[in-house]
Amino acid sequence: MSDLVRVGFVGCGLIARSHARGLQACGEATIVAVHDTDPERAHSFALDVVGTASVVVADAETVIETSEAVYVCTWTAAHADLVAAVAAAGKPVFCEKPLAIDLATAEAMTRAVESAGVVNQVGLVLRNSPSFRWLRHQVRSPELGPLMNIVFRDDQYLPTQGMYGSTWRGDVAKAGAGTLLEHSIHDLDLLGWMMGPIRSVSGRIGMVHGLDGIDDQASVLLVSESGAQATLTSVWHEVLSRPSQRRVEAFCRDAVLTLDGDWAGPVSIESSMGTDELEGSVLARAMATLDGLGVNPDAAFITAVRSSIPAYPDFRVAIEAHRLADAAYRSAATGGQPVDL
Ligand SMILES: NC(=O)c1ccc[n+]([C@@H]2O[C@H](COP(=O)([O-])OP(=O)(O)OC[C@H]3O[C@@H](n4cnc5c(N)ncnc54)[C@H](O)[C@@H]3O)[C@@H](O)[C@H]2O)c1
């Protein structure tokens, strides 16, 4: 195609590569400028992903000038200034999650993109997961009776090592906090998405690794407007054979649902009608036409940019997850007192 959307990247690490693959798969964008404060990162990203180092530029400002749409894929503390610069230039922005290291900054970023009127999307990519789309569809289905309870477990090895290799995740100034904000903001987003408005949050956190301000375990109790309850357990351990793993059990009045594997299942449903299990391509096909979300968040972003329509999930969606994380940390600071929302 001759009218490919000209995309730039600020931050050229792990997640930037994932988005570059998504853009390549959609075939409607071309990467024209990339910058990283670590020049080696920028060069290896450019060579591996674009095939030429000529797209490496000296600073974020040049990325913004050169591109029609910008991905902000730096560590979390650097998101806010970069998003503000992209919004000030009137250009669409895809920003990674968490938006910011605290709720107030995330809210300011949301105001910035909304008042600039720019297309904005956040990297809460599990909203595109066939597994979670299936689970959400089931727990909201009237045939299964009201949703009663969700048990959500998310564990992985401390991501300062292994394929992440990111020392910044152990630095509170750059990451803001640990497992609950940096990783399980996905889980809080998914729980709010499945359960509807959350009205009460209580939480406890722990720091076994001794990294200042970096929680490596969190237990959160959420109560929704409808009275449904959920518990989230989020852990960063030292078992290097276990990268990110999610297991969810959801109890409706008339069915029990399980999710093992946060993208392609297996997922299962058990009711008095019997038991069914789906995974892989069968699950993907079952979800393909369900809600129009698709499995490629980058394709969705490019479609929104091309058509100047709102992207999804946008910063406003992410604010809800930030509110839950903020409430959980505030509760933990009081020893677990519930915080009403
Ligand atoms: N959506 C997801 O599932 C998902 C998965 C992983 C990471 N993330 C998020 O993506 C972001 C990046 O994570 P990552 O794993 O790619 O980290 P990473 O360490 O692999 O890459 C981050 C890069 O940003 C660069 N950088 C930092 N500040 C910069 C600045 N001001 N200008 C230019 N470059 C800068 C660093 O040098 C580094 O190369 C984080 O916010 C993280 O939480 C999201």
Side-chain angles (χ1 to χ4, degrees):
M1 277 179 75
S2 56
D3 61 342
L4 300 176
V5 176
R6 295 164 56 80
V7 171
F9 277 83
V10 185
C12 299
L14 184 75
I15 201 65
R17 285 174 182 261
S18 166
H19 290 304
R21 284 193 295 274
L23 291 171
Q24 282 163 348
C26 92
E28 297 199 9
T30 180
I31 299 170
V32 294
V34 307
H35 169 68
D36 195 296
T37 43
D38 178 342
E40 276 180 31
R41 282 270 178 127
H43 275 89
S44 69
F45 177 83
L47 286 173
D48 296 349
V49 171
V50 192
T52 170
S54 64
V55 294
V56 176
V57 298
D59 49 40
E61 291 70 30
T62 310
V63 173
I64 296 168
E65 273 167 33
T66 313
S67 314
E68 289 173 73
V70 178
Y71 276 74
V72 174
C73 296
T74 64
W75 52 63
T76 306
H79 292 173
D81 287 350
L82 292 163
V83 165
V86 182
K91 299 198 173 171
V93 60
F94 187 117
C95 181
E96 259 312 330
K97 54 45 59 181
L99 284 177
I101 61 172
D102 58 53
L103 174 61
T105 309
E107 287 173 335
M109 292 165 72
T110 304
R111 286 194 296 275
V113 294
E114 289 180 350
S115 62
V118 297
V119 171
N120 60 94
Q121 187 167 328
V122 67
L124 290 170
V125 294
L126 287 175
R127 287 202 178 214
N128 295 90
S129 136
S131 294
F132 278 107
R133 286 159 60 203
W134 177 90
L135 187 61
R136 178 175 188 262
H137 176 72
Q138 297 295 345
V139 300
R140 295 169 76 92
S141 156
E143 296 91 71
L144 304 187
L147 172 64
M148 298 172 68
N149 203 294
I150 298 179
V151 180
F152 196 129
R153 184 268 287 148
D154 182 353
D155 77 282
Q156 67 173 151
Y157 60 78
L158 184 76
T160 53
Q161 53 198 327
M163 71 169 189
Y164 302 94
S166 56
T167 51
W168 65 265
R169 284 184 172 88
D171 178 350
V172 69
K174 292 180 173 141
T179 188
L180 185 58
L181 179 69
E182 161 49 29
H183 188 57
S184 285
I185 191 136
H186 281 297
D187 309 332
L188 293 170
D189 172 56
L190 293 166
L191 285 165
W193 194 46
M194 290 190 279
M195 297 170 73
I198 303 296
R199 293 297 173 225
S200 171
V201 178
S202 28
R204 299 294 294 257
I205 59 170
M207 296 179 194
V208 169
H209 289 83
L211 295 167
D212 188 26
I214 303 295
D215 45 297
D216 46 30
Q217 62 158 323
S219 306
V220 181
L221 170 64
L222 306 166
V223 183
S224 78
E225 194 167 86
S226 70
Q229 301 172 13
T231 49
L232 167 65
T233 296
S234 177
V235 181
W236 280 348
H237 46 61
E238 283 294 333
V239 186
L240 289 172
S241 55
R242 286 178 71 86
S244 179
Q245 320 258 326
R246 291 183 172 90
R247 180 178 165 82
V248 184
E249 294 170 308
F251 301 87
C252 296
R253 187 191 61 206
D254 301 322
V256 176
L257 306 130
T258 59
L259 176 155
D260 260 309
D262 57 20
W263 198 268
V267 294
S268 72
I269 178 168
E270 181 178 349
S271 71
S272 52
M273 309 290 288
T275 303
D276 195 16
E277 184 174 293
L278 293 85
E279 65 182 310
S281 56
V282 176
L283 174 62
R285 273 200 300 279
M287 291 299 98
T289 55
L290 182 78
D291 49 20
L293 287 177
V295 293
N296 184 340
D298 303 296
F301 178 60
I302 295 303
T303 298
V305 170
R306 272 190 186 290
S307 322
S308 294
I309 56 172
Y312 178 88
D314 63 9
F315 283 29
R316 182 64 48 192
V317 166
I319 285 297
E320 291 308 310
H322 273 278
R323 285 176 66 227
L324 298 179
D326 177 72
Y329 282 116
R330 282 193 284 130
S331 168
T334 67
Q337 294 299 310
V339 171
D340 292 335
L341 296 174

